[in-house]
Amino acid sequence: MRKMTFRNLLVAILMSCGVTMTSCKTEFVTITDVVPDVILEIRYFGTYNFVGTRIDGYEEPTALLTRQAADSLKAVSDDVMKLGYRLKIYDAYRPQKGVDHFVRWAENIADTLMKPYFYPDLDKSVLFPQDYICLKSGHTRGSTLDLTLFDMTTEKEVDMGGTFDWFGPESHPDFCGNPETGEYNGDNSKSPRGRSITPEQFRNRMILRQAMMRHGFKPFDTEWWHFTLKNEPFADTYFTFPVKQKH
């Protein structure tokens, strides 16, 4: 009998849950072909990320989305540019191979190279139980992305009061405020080290959130930078092709 590899086991688990996995990418586009004004900083192609190395499946520093998500993102871009901003993308489509890399990294408790930068308040052993790392990701369905705002006047990223991929309550949209009303309340009681964000930093998060929601994206309750197209075309399909320029 052939030995069951981690990859084969994962595929079996996902298929048993009614999940489809495919290498087909005909419905995807390169984001910059549709939204030429975006800035790309593909963190998982480089080494400045919570793992500390390039992530499997990221073959080029580009970003892909389904056509539907890219078209909606174009509307967001046009909207925020009127306010003096551009969109800066950290991650979009993520192949299952990249998710598998995260899982292997999380299982290696001794590897804490990037802990000071992304999860200083957490023991690495809690990343699975607290759902910071999971066996599958919405990114792999192709209509989810991670992004921030870039100020065209200062030519700098807008200050969101925390870095992308920070593991902790400080990344939650409701940290120090109510995202439903956009009101800042300064409540930092969930922060294990008493960290906080300012009213301006909270307002900046809300500018991004509201622009994304106006154009058909839904926010994520634990990451201010993470959004998924509400009517995503492949809600049960997880793709496996690598991240590289689509020709």
Side-chain angles (χ1 to χ4, degrees):
M1 179 180 293
R2 184 166 62 92
K3 183 180 179 180
M4 178 67 80
T5 65
F6 172 82
R7 172 70 178 168
N8 292 333
L9 176 61
L10 177 59
V11 170
I13 292 172
L14 295 179
M15 290 182 67
S16 71
C17 297
V19 169
T20 299
M21 298 186 71
T22 179
S23 61
C24 178
K25 62 177 180 179
T26 57
E27 301 298 323
F28 282 68
V29 296
T30 300
I31 292 178
T32 49
D33 288 344
V34 180
V35 196
D37 297 309
V38 299
I39 299 169
L40 300 183
E41 186 183 327
I42 308 305
R43 291 284 184 90
Y44 301 138
F45 180 79
T47 60
Y48 182 59
N49 57 61
F50 62 85
V51 176
T53 188
R54 181 180 297 177
I55 303 305
D56 292 352
Y58 286 79
E59 297 183 2
E60 295 178 5
T62 190
L64 309 177
L65 280 177
T66 60
R67 164 63 68 172
Q68 294 91 329
D71 287 343
S72 294
L73 190 67
K74 176 63 165 65
V76 178
S77 177
D78 292 345
D79 197 349
V80 299
M81 286 191 71
K82 296 174 184 175
L83 302 175
Y85 303 112
R86 292 170 68 183
L87 298 177
K88 184 173 186 178
I89 297 175
Y90 297 124
D91 193 33
Y93 162 70
R94 180 185 307 159
Q96 185 61 44
K97 182 183 290 186
V99 178
D100 297 347
H101 192 163
F102 292 166
V103 171
R104 292 195 308 274
W105 167 82
E107 290 175 333
N108 181 5
I109 301 300
D111 181 358
T112 57
L113 174 65
M114 303 302 285
K115 178 179 172 64
Y117 310 103
F118 295 98
Y119 54 105
D121 302 340
L122 297 176
D123 188 278
K124 192 177 179 182
S125 64
V126 308
L127 298 187
F128 271 127
Q130 295 187 16
D131 293 330
Y132 288 106
I133 304 295
C134 300
L135 293 177
K136 57 184 180 178
S137 167
H139 283 271
T140 311
R141 302 193 299 263
S143 295
T144 293
L145 71 161
D146 299 327
L147 75 171
T148 190
L149 296 173
F150 183 89
D151 190 315
M152 291 190 288
T153 300
T154 65
E155 298 185 348
K156 295 179 180 180
E157 278 188 27
V158 172
D159 185 359
M160 298 294 189
T163 185
F164 161 66
D165 264 352
W166 175 273
F167 294 170
E170 298 86 358
S171 294
H172 297 187
D174 65 355
F175 183 64
C176 287
N178 184 338
E180 302 305 317
T181 64
E183 296 179 2
Y184 177 83
N185 57 32
D187 181 7
N188 67 341
S189 59
K190 294 181 180 179
S191 174
R193 296 285 181 87
R195 304 179 194 275
S196 189
I197 61 174
T198 67
E200 181 180 7
Q201 290 165 339
F202 180 78
R203 182 182 68 85
N204 291 339
R205 294 183 180 191
M206 294 302 103
I207 292 172
L208 174 63
R209 177 188 179 92
Q210 291 161 9
M212 295 295 286
M213 293 178 68
R214 278 196 298 271
H215 298 287
F217 289 92
K218 58 184 178 182
F220 192 48
D221 61 5
T222 59
E223 298 172 348
W224 58 259
W225 56 79
H226 178 118
F227 297 88
T228 299
L229 188 68
K230 283 183 180 179
N231 298 317
E232 57 179 315
F234 302 106
D236 298 310
T237 303
Y238 290 75
F239 293 87
T240 60
F241 61 85
V243 174
K244 62 181 180 180
Q245 195 79 13
K246 191 172 187 302
H247 301 292

Coordinates of all heavy atoms in Angstrom, one line a residue, residues 46-126:
G46 N 8.7 37.1 -0.8 CA 9.9 37.5 -0.2 C 10.1 36.8 1.2 O 9.5 35.7 1.4
T47 N 10.9 37.4 2.0 CA 11.2 36.7 3.3 C 10.7 37.5 4.5 O 10.7 37.0 5.6 CB 12.8 36.6 3.5 OG1 13.4 37.9 3.5 CG2 13.4 35.7 2.4
Y48 N 10.2 38.7 4.3 CA 9.6 39.4 5.4 C 8.1 39.0 5.5 O 7.2 39.7 5.1 CB 9.7 41.0 5.2 CG 9.1 41.7 6.4 CD1 9.7 41.6 7.7 CD2 8.1 42.6 6.2 CE1 9.2 42.2 8.8 CE2 7.6 43.3 7.3 CZ 8.1 43.1 8.6 OH 7.6 43.8 9.6
N49 N 7.9 37.9 6.2 CA 6.6 37.4 6.5 C 6.8 36.5 7.8 O 7.9 36.3 8.3 CB 6.0 36.6 5.4 CG 6.9 35.4 4.9 OD1 7.2 34.5 5.7 ND2 7.4 35.5 3.7
F50 N 5.7 36.0 8.3 CA 5.8 35.3 9.6 C 6.5 34.0 9.6 O 7.0 33.5 10.6 CB 4.4 35.1 10.2 CG 3.4 34.2 9.4 CD1 3.5 32.9 9.5 CD2 2.5 34.8 8.5 CE1 2.6 32.1 8.8 CE2 1.6 34.0 7.8 CZ 1.7 32.6 7.9
V51 N 6.8 33.5 8.4 CA 7.6 32.3 8.3 C 9.0 32.6 8.2 O 9.9 32.0 8.7 CB 7.1 31.4 7.1 CG1 8.0 30.2 6.9 CG2 5.7 31.0 7.2
G52 N 9.3 33.7 7.4 CA 10.7 34.1 7.3 C 11.4 33.6 6.0 O 12.7 33.7 5.9
T53 N 10.7 33.0 5.1 CA 11.2 32.5 3.9 C 10.2 32.6 2.8 O 9.0 32.9 3.1 CB 11.6 31.1 4.0 OG1 12.3 30.6 2.8 CG2 10.4 30.1 4.2
R54 N 10.6 32.5 1.5 CA 9.6 32.5 0.4 C 8.6 31.3 0.6 O 9.1 30.2 0.9 CB 10.2 32.5 -0.9 CG 9.2 32.5 -2.1 CD 9.9 32.4 -3.4 NE 10.8 33.6 -3.6 CZ 11.5 33.8 -4.7 NH1 11.6 32.9 -5.7 NH2 12.3 34.9 -4.9
I55 N 7.4 31.5 0.4 CA 6.4 30.5 0.6 C 6.2 29.7 -0.7 O 6.2 30.2 -1.8 CB 5.0 31.1 1.0 CG1 5.2 31.9 2.3 CG2 4.0 30.0 1.2 CD1 5.9 31.2 3.4
D56 N 6.0 28.4 -0.5 CA 5.9 27.5 -1.7 C 4.7 27.9 -2.5 O 3.6 28.3 -2.0 CB 5.6 26.0 -1.2 CG 6.8 25.4 -0.5 OD1 7.8 26.0 -0.5 OD2 6.6 24.3 0.1
G57 N 4.9 27.9 -3.8 CA 3.8 28.2 -4.8 C 3.9 29.6 -5.3 O 3.1 30.0 -6.2
Y58 N 4.7 30.5 -4.6 CA 4.8 31.9 -5.1 C 6.1 32.0 -6.0 O 7.2 32.2 -5.5 CB 5.0 32.8 -3.9 CG 3.7 33.0 -3.1 CD1 3.2 32.0 -2.3 CD2 2.9 34.1 -3.3 CE1 2.0 32.2 -1.6 CE2 1.7 34.3 -2.7 CZ 1.2 33.3 -1.8 OH 0.0 33.5 -1.2
E59 N 5.8 31.8 -7.3 CA 6.9 31.8 -8.2 C 7.3 33.1 -8.8 O 8.4 33.3 -9.3 CB 6.5 30.8 -9.4 CG 6.3 29.4 -8.9 CD 6.1 28.4 -10.0 OE1 6.0 28.8 -11.2 OE2 5.9 27.2 -9.7
E60 N 6.4 34.1 -8.7 CA 6.7 35.4 -9.2 C 6.0 36.4 -8.2 O 5.0 36.1 -7.6 CB 6.2 35.6 -10.6 CG 6.9 34.8 -11.6 CD 6.3 35.0 -13.0 OE1 5.4 35.9 -13.2 OE2 6.7 34.3 -14.0
P61 N 6.6 37.7 -8.1 CA 6.0 38.7 -7.2 C 4.8 39.4 -7.9 O 4.8 40.6 -8.1 CB 7.1 39.6 -7.0 CG 7.9 39.6 -8.2 CD 7.8 38.1 -8.7
T62 N 3.8 38.6 -8.1 CA 2.6 39.1 -8.8 C 1.3 38.7 -8.0 O 1.5 38.0 -7.0 CB 2.5 38.6 -10.2 OG1 1.4 39.3 -10.9 CG2 2.2 37.1 -10.3
A63 N 0.2 39.2 -8.4 CA -1.1 38.9 -7.7 C -2.2 38.5 -8.6 O -2.4 39.2 -9.6 CB -1.5 40.1 -6.8
L64 N -2.9 37.5 -8.3 CA -4.0 37.0 -9.2 C -5.3 37.0 -8.4 O -5.3 36.8 -7.2 CB -3.7 35.5 -9.6 CG -2.3 35.3 -10.3 CD1 -2.2 33.8 -10.6 CD2 -2.1 36.1 -11.5
L65 N -6.4 37.2 -9.1 CA -7.7 37.1 -8.6 C -8.7 36.6 -9.6 O -8.3 36.6 -10.8 CB -8.2 38.5 -8.1 CG -7.8 39.1 -6.8 CD1 -8.4 40.5 -6.6 CD2 -8.2 38.2 -5.6
T66 N -9.8 36.1 -9.2 CA -10.9 35.8 -10.2 C -11.2 37.1 -10.9 O -11.1 38.2 -10.3 CB -12.1 35.2 -9.5 OG1 -12.6 36.2 -8.6 CG2 -11.8 33.9 -8.8
R67 N -11.7 37.0 -12.1 CA -12.2 38.2 -12.9 C -13.2 39.0 -12.1 O -13.1 40.2 -12.0 CB -12.7 37.7 -14.2 CG -13.5 38.8 -14.9 CD -12.7 40.0 -15.3 NE -11.7 39.7 -16.3 CZ -11.0 40.7 -16.9 NH1 -11.1 41.9 -16.6 NH2 -10.1 40.3 -17.9
Q68 N -14.1 38.3 -11.4 CA -15.2 39.1 -10.7 C -14.6 39.9 -9.6 O -15.0 41.0 -9.4 CB -16.2 38.1 -10.2 CG -17.0 37.3 -11.2 CD -16.4 36.0 -11.7 OE1 -15.2 35.9 -11.7 NE2 -17.2 35.1 -12.1
A69 N -13.7 39.3 -8.8 CA -13.1 40.0 -7.7 C -12.2 41.2 -8.2 O -12.2 42.3 -7.6 CB -12.2 39.1 -6.8
A70 N -11.5 40.9 -9.3 CA -10.6 42.0 -9.8 C -11.5 43.2 -10.3 O -11.1 44.3 -10.1 CB -9.8 41.4 -11.0
D71 N -12.6 42.9 -11.0 CA -13.5 44.0 -11.5 C -14.0 44.8 -10.3 O -14.1 46.0 -10.4 CB -14.6 43.4 -12.3 CG -14.2 42.9 -13.6 OD1 -13.1 43.3 -14.1 OD2 -15.0 42.1 -14.3
S72 N -14.4 44.1 -9.2 CA -14.8 44.9 -8.0 C -13.7 45.7 -7.4 O -13.9 46.8 -6.9 CB -15.4 43.9 -7.0 OG -16.6 43.3 -7.5
L73 N -12.5 45.1 -7.4 CA -11.4 45.8 -6.8 C -11.1 47.1 -7.6 O -10.6 48.1 -7.1 CB -10.1 44.9 -6.8 CG -8.9 45.4 -6.0 CD1 -9.3 45.5 -4.5 CD2 -7.7 44.6 -6.2
K74 N -11.3 47.0 -8.9 CA -11.1 48.2 -9.8 C -12.0 49.4 -9.3 O -11.6 50.5 -9.2 CB -11.4 47.9 -11.2 CG -11.3 49.1 -12.2 CD -9.9 49.6 -12.3 CE -9.7 50.6 -13.5 NZ -10.5 51.8 -13.4
A75 N -13.2 49.0 -8.9 CA -14.1 50.0 -8.4 C -13.7 50.6 -7.1 O -13.8 51.8 -6.9 CB -15.5 49.4 -8.3
V76 N -13.1 49.7 -6.3 CA -12.5 50.2 -5.0 C -11.4 51.2 -5.3 O -11.3 52.2 -4.7 CB -12.1 49.0 -4.1 CG1 -11.4 49.6 -2.8 CG2 -13.2 48.1 -3.8
S77 N -10.5 50.8 -6.2 CA -9.3 51.6 -6.5 C -9.8 53.0 -7.0 O -9.2 54.0 -6.6 CB -8.5 50.9 -7.5 OG -7.4 51.7 -7.9
D78 N -10.7 53.0 -7.9 CA -11.2 54.3 -8.4 C -11.8 55.2 -7.3 O -11.6 56.4 -7.3 CB -12.3 54.1 -9.5 CG -11.7 53.4 -10.7 OD1 -10.5 53.4 -10.9 OD2 -12.5 52.9 -11.6
D79 N -12.4 54.5 -6.4 CA -13.1 55.2 -5.2 C -12.0 55.8 -4.3 O -12.1 57.0 -4.0 CB -13.9 54.2 -4.4 CG -14.9 54.8 -3.5 OD1 -14.8 56.0 -3.3 OD2 -15.7 54.1 -3.0
V80 N -11.0 55.0 -3.9 CA -10.0 55.6 -2.9 C -9.1 56.6 -3.6 O -8.5 57.5 -2.9 CB -9.2 54.5 -2.2 CG1 -10.2 53.6 -1.4 CG2 -8.4 53.7 -3.2
M81 N -8.9 56.5 -4.9 CA -8.0 57.4 -5.6 C -8.6 58.8 -5.5 O -7.8 59.8 -5.5 CB -7.7 57.0 -7.0 CG -6.7 55.8 -7.1 SD -6.1 55.5 -8.7 CE -5.0 56.9 -9.0
K82 N -9.9 58.9 -5.5 CA -10.5 60.2 -5.4 C -10.2 60.9 -4.0 O -10.3 62.1 -3.8 CB -12.0 60.1 -5.5 CG -12.4 59.6 -6.9 CD -13.9 59.4 -7.0 CE -14.3 58.8 -8.4 NZ -15.8 58.5 -8.4
L83 N -9.9 60.0 -3.0 CA -9.6 60.5 -1.7 C -8.1 60.7 -1.5 O -7.6 61.0 -0.4 CB -10.1 59.4 -0.6 CG -11.6 59.1 -0.7 CD1 -11.9 58.0 0.3 CD2 -12.4 60.4 -0.4
G84 N -7.3 60.4 -2.5 CA -5.8 60.6 -2.4 C -5.0 59.4 -2.1 O -3.9 59.5 -1.7
Y85 N -5.7 58.2 -2.2 CA -5.0 56.9 -1.9 C -4.8 56.0 -3.1 O -5.6 56.1 -4.1 CB -5.8 56.2 -0.8 CG -6.0 57.0 0.5 CD1 -7.3 57.3 0.8 CD2 -5.0 57.3 1.3 CE1 -7.6 58.0 2.0 CE2 -5.2 58.0 2.5 CZ -6.5 58.4 2.8 OH -6.8 59.1 4.0
R86 N -3.9 55.1 -3.0 CA -3.9 53.9 -3.9 C -4.0 52.7 -3.0 O -3.7 52.7 -1.8 CB -2.6 53.9 -4.7 CG -2.5 55.0 -5.7 CD -1.1 55.1 -6.3 NE -0.8 54.0 -7.1 CZ 0.4 53.8 -7.7 NH1 1.4 54.7 -7.5 NH2 0.6 52.8 -8.5
L87 N -4.3 51.6 -3.6 CA -4.4 50.3 -2.9 C -3.0 49.6 -3.0 O -2.3 49.6 -4.0 CB -5.4 49.4 -3.6 CG -6.9 49.9 -3.5 CD1 -7.8 48.9 -4.3 CD2 -7.3 50.1 -2.1
K88 N -2.6 49.0 -1.9 CA -1.3 48.3 -1.8 C -1.7 46.8 -1.4 O -2.3 46.6 -0.4 CB -0.4 48.9 -0.8 CG 1.0 48.2 -0.8 CD 2.0 49.0 0.1 CE 3.4 48.4 0.0 NZ 4.3 49.1 0.8
I89 N -1.3 45.9 -2.2 CA -1.7 44.5 -2.0 C -0.5 43.7 -1.5 O 0.6 43.7 -2.0 CB -2.2 43.9 -3.3 CG1 -3.5 44.6 -3.8 CG2 -2.5 42.4 -3.2 CD1 -4.0 44.2 -5.1
Y90 N -0.8 42.9 -0.4 CA 0.2 42.0 0.2 C 0.0 40.6 -0.3 O 1.0 39.9 -0.5 CB 0.0 42.0 1.7 CG 0.3 43.3 2.4 CD1 -0.7 43.9 3.2 CD2 1.5 44.0 2.2 CE1 -0.4 45.1 3.9 CE2 1.7 45.2 2.9 CZ 0.8 45.7 3.7 OH 1.0 46.9 4.3
D91 N -1.2 40.2 -0.5 CA -1.5 38.8 -1.0 C -2.9 38.8 -1.6 O -3.8 39.6 -1.2 CB -1.4 37.9 0.2 CG -1.4 36.4 -0.2 OD1 -0.8 36.1 -1.3 OD2 -1.9 35.5 0.5
A92 N -3.1 37.9 -2.6 CA -4.4 37.7 -3.2 C -4.6 36.2 -3.3 O -4.6 35.5 -2.3 CB -4.4 38.4 -4.6
Y93 N -4.7 35.7 -4.5 CA -4.8 34.2 -4.7 C -3.6 33.5 -4.0 O -2.5 34.0 -4.2 CB -4.9 33.8 -6.1 CG -4.6 32.4 -6.4 CD1 -5.5 31.4 -5.9 CD2 -3.4 32.0 -7.0 CE1 -5.2 30.0 -6.1 CE2 -3.1 30.7 -7.2 CZ -4.0 29.7 -6.7 OH -3.7 28.3 -6.9
R94 N -3.9 32.5 -3.3 CA -2.8 31.7 -2.6 C -3.0 30.2 -2.9 O -4.0 29.7 -2.6 CB -2.9 31.9 -1.1 CG -1.8 31.2 -0.3 CD -2.1 31.4 1.2 NE -2.2 32.8 1.6 CZ -2.8 33.2 2.7 NH1 -3.3 32.4 3.5 NH2 -2.9 34.5 2.9
P95 N -2.0 29.6 -3.6 CA -2.2 28.2 -3.9 C -2.2 27.3 -2.7 O -1.7 27.7 -1.6 CB -1.0 27.9 -4.8 CG 0.0 28.9 -4.4 CD -0.7 30.1 -4.0
Q96 N -2.9 26.1 -2.8 CA -2.9 25.2 -1.7 C -1.5 24.9 -1.2 O -1.3 24.6 0.0 CB -3.7 24.0 -2.0 CG -3.9 23.0 -0.9 CD -4.7 23.6 0.3 OE1 -5.7 24.3 0.0 NE2 -4.3 23.4 1.5
K97 N -0.6 24.8 -2.1 CA 0.8 24.5 -1.7 C 1.3 25.5 -0.7 O 2.1 25.2 0.2 CB 1.7 24.5 -3.0 CG 3.2 24.2 -2.7 CD 4.0 24.3 -4.0 CE 3.7 23.2 -4.9 NZ 4.6 23.2 -6.1
G98 N 0.9 26.8 -0.8 CA 1.3 27.8 0.1 C 0.7 27.6 1.5 O 1.4 27.7 2.5
V99 N -0.6 27.2 1.5 CA -1.2 26.9 2.8 C -0.6 25.7 3.5 O -0.4 25.7 4.7 CB -2.7 26.6 2.5 CG1 -3.4 26.2 3.8 CG2 -3.4 27.8 1.9
D100 N -0.2 24.7 2.7 CA 0.5 23.5 3.2 C 1.8 23.9 3.9 O 2.2 23.4 4.9 CB 0.7 22.5 2.1 CG -0.5 21.9 1.5 OD1 -1.6 22.2 2.0 OD2 -0.4 21.3 0.4
H101 N 2.5 24.9 3.2 CA 3.7 25.4 3.8 C 3.5 26.0 5.2 O 4.3 25.8 6.1 CB 4.4 26.4 2.8 CG 5.8 26.8 3.1 ND1 6.6 27.4 2.2 CD2 6.5 26.7 4.3 CE1 7.8 27.6 2.8 NE2 7.7 27.2 4.0
F102 N 2.5 26.8 5.3 CA 2.1 27.4 6.6 C 1.9 26.3 7.6 O 2.3 26.5 8.8 CB 0.9 28.3 6.5 CG 1.0 29.5 5.7 CD1 -0.1 30.2 5.2 CD2 2.3 30.0 5.3 CE1 0.0 31.4 4.5 CE2 2.4 31.2 4.6 CZ 1.3 31.9 4.2
V103 N 1.2 25.3 7.3 CA 0.8 24.2 8.2 C 2.1 23.5 8.7 O 2.3 23.3 9.9 CB -0.2 23.2 7.5 CG1 -0.3 22.0 8.4 CG2 -1.5 23.9 7.3
R104 N 3.0 23.2 7.7 CA 4.2 22.5 8.1 C 5.0 23.4 9.1 O 5.6 22.9 10.1 CB 5.1 22.2 6.9 CG 4.5 21.1 6.0 CD 5.5 20.6 5.0 NE 6.2 21.6 4.3 CZ 5.7 22.2 3.2 NH1 4.6 21.7 2.7 NH2 6.4 23.1 2.5
W105 N 5.1 24.7 8.8 CA 5.8 25.7 9.6 C 5.2 25.7 11.0 O 5.9 25.7 12.0 CB 5.8 27.0 9.0 CG 6.2 28.1 9.9 CD1 7.5 28.5 10.2 CD2 5.4 29.0 10.7 NE1 7.5 29.5 11.1 CE2 6.2 29.9 11.4 CE3 4.0 29.1 10.8 CZ2 5.7 30.8 12.3 CZ3 3.5 30.1 11.7 CH2 4.4 30.9 12.4
A106 N 3.9 25.7 11.1 CA 3.2 25.8 12.4 C 3.5 24.6 13.2 O 3.5 24.7 14.5 CB 1.7 26.1 12.2
E107 N 3.6 23.5 12.6 CA 3.9 22.2 13.3 C 5.3 22.1 13.9 O 5.6 21.4 14.8 CB 3.6 21.0 12.4 CG 2.1 20.8 12.0 CD 1.9 19.7 11.0 OE1 2.9 19.4 10.2 OE2 0.8 19.1 11.0
N108 N 6.2 22.9 13.3 CA 7.6 23.0 13.8 C 7.7 24.1 14.9 O 8.0 25.2 14.6 CB 8.5 23.3 12.6 CG 10.0 23.3 13.1 OD1 10.3 23.0 14.2 ND2 10.9 23.7 12.2
I109 N 7.3 23.7 16.1 CA 7.3 24.6 17.2 C 8.6 25.3 17.5 O 8.6 26.5 18.0 CB 6.8 23.9 18.5 CG1 5.4 23.3 18.3 CG2 6.7 24.9 19.7 CD1 4.3 24.3 17.9
A110 N 9.7 24.7 17.1 CA 11.0 25.3 17.4 C 11.4 26.4 16.5 O 12.2 27.2 16.8 CB 12.1 24.2 17.3
D111 N 10.7 26.5 15.4 CA 11.0 27.6 14.4 C 10.3 28.9 14.8 O 9.1 29.1 14.4 CB 10.7 27.2 13.0 CG 11.0 28.2 11.9 OD1 11.5 29.3 12.3 OD2 10.8 27.9 10.7
T112 N 11.0 29.8 15.5 CA 10.3 31.0 15.9 C 11.1 32.2 15.4 O 11.2 33.3 16.0 CB 10.2 31.1 17.4 OG1 11.5 30.9 18.0 CG2 9.3 30.0 17.9
L113 N 11.7 32.1 14.2 CA 12.6 33.1 13.7 C 11.9 34.5 13.6 O 12.5 35.5 14.0 CB 13.0 32.7 12.2 CG 13.8 33.8 11.4 CD1 15.2 34.0 12.1 CD2 14.0 33.3 10.0
M114 N 10.6 34.5 13.2 CA 10.0 35.8 13.0 C 9.0 36.2 14.1 O 8.2 37.1 14.0 CB 9.2 35.8 11.7 CG 10.1 35.5 10.5 SD 11.5 36.6 10.3 CE 10.6 38.1 9.6
K115 N 9.1 35.5 15.2 CA 8.2 35.7 16.4 C 8.3 37.2 16.9 O 7.2 37.8 17.1 CB 8.6 34.8 17.5 CG 7.7 35.0 18.8 CD 8.1 34.0 19.9 CE 7.5 34.3 21.2 NZ 6.0 34.2 21.2
P116 N 9.4 37.8 17.0 CA 9.5 39.2 17.5 C 8.7 40.2 16.6 O 8.3 41.3 17.1 CB 11.0 39.6 17.5 CG 11.7 38.2 17.5 CD 10.8 37.3 16.7
Y117 N 8.5 39.9 15.3 CA 7.9 40.8 14.4 C 6.4 40.6 14.2 O 5.7 41.5 13.8 CB 8.6 40.7 13.0 CG 10.1 40.8 13.2 CD1 10.9 39.7 13.1 CD2 10.7 42.0 13.4 CE1 12.3 39.7 13.2 CE2 12.1 42.1 13.5 CZ 12.9 41.0 13.4 OH 14.2 41.1 13.6
F118 N 5.9 39.3 14.4 CA 4.6 39.0 14.0 C 3.7 38.4 15.1 O 2.5 38.5 15.0 CB 4.5 38.1 12.7 CG 5.1 38.7 11.5 CD1 6.4 38.5 11.1 CD2 4.3 39.6 10.8 CE1 6.9 39.1 10.0 CE2 4.8 40.2 9.6 CZ 6.1 40.0 9.2
Y119 N 4.3 37.7 16.1 CA 3.5 37.1 17.2 C 4.3 37.1 18.5 O 4.4 36.1 19.2 CB 3.1 35.7 16.8 CG 4.2 34.8 16.4 CD1 4.6 33.8 17.2 CD2 4.7 34.8 15.1 CE1 5.6 32.9 16.8 CE2 5.7 33.9 14.7 CZ 6.2 33.0 15.6 OH 7.1 32.1 15.2
P120 N 4.8 38.3 18.9 CA 5.6 38.4 20.1 C 4.8 38.0 21.4 O 5.4 37.6 22.4 CB 6.1 39.8 20.2 CG 5.1 40.6 19.4 CD 4.7 39.6 18.3
D121 N 3.5 38.2 21.3 CA 2.7 38.0 22.5 C 2.1 36.6 22.6 O 1.4 36.2 23.6 CB 1.5 38.9 22.5 CG 1.9 40.4 22.5 OD1 3.1 40.7 22.8 OD2 1.1 41.3 22.1
L122 N 2.4 35.7 21.6 CA 1.8 34.4 21.6 C 2.9 33.3 21.6 O 4.0 33.5 21.0 CB 1.0 34.2 20.3 CG -0.2 35.1 20.1 CD1 -0.9 34.8 18.7 CD2 -1.2 34.8 21.2
D123 N 2.6 32.2 22.2 CA 3.4 31.0 22.1 C 3.0 30.3 20.8 O 1.8 30.2 20.5 CB 3.1 30.0 23.3 CG 4.1 28.9 23.3 OD1 3.8 27.9 22.5 OD2 5.1 28.9 24.0
K124 N 3.9 29.9 20.0 CA 3.6 29.3 18.7 C 2.7 28.1 18.8 O 1.9 27.9 17.8 CB 4.9 28.9 18.0 CG 4.7 28.6 16.5 CD 6.0 28.3 15.8 CE 5.8 27.9 14.4 NZ 7.0 27.5 13.7
S125 N 2.6 27.4 19.9 CA 1.8 26.3 20.0 C 0.3 26.6 19.9 O -0.5 25.7 19.7 CB 2.1 25.5 21.3 OG 1.7 26.4 22.4
V126 N -0.1 27.9 20.1 CA -1.5 28.2 20.1 C -2.0 28.6 18.7 O -3.2 28.9 18.5 CB -1.8 29.3 21.1 CG1 -1.3 29.0 22.4 CG2 -1.3 30.7 20.6

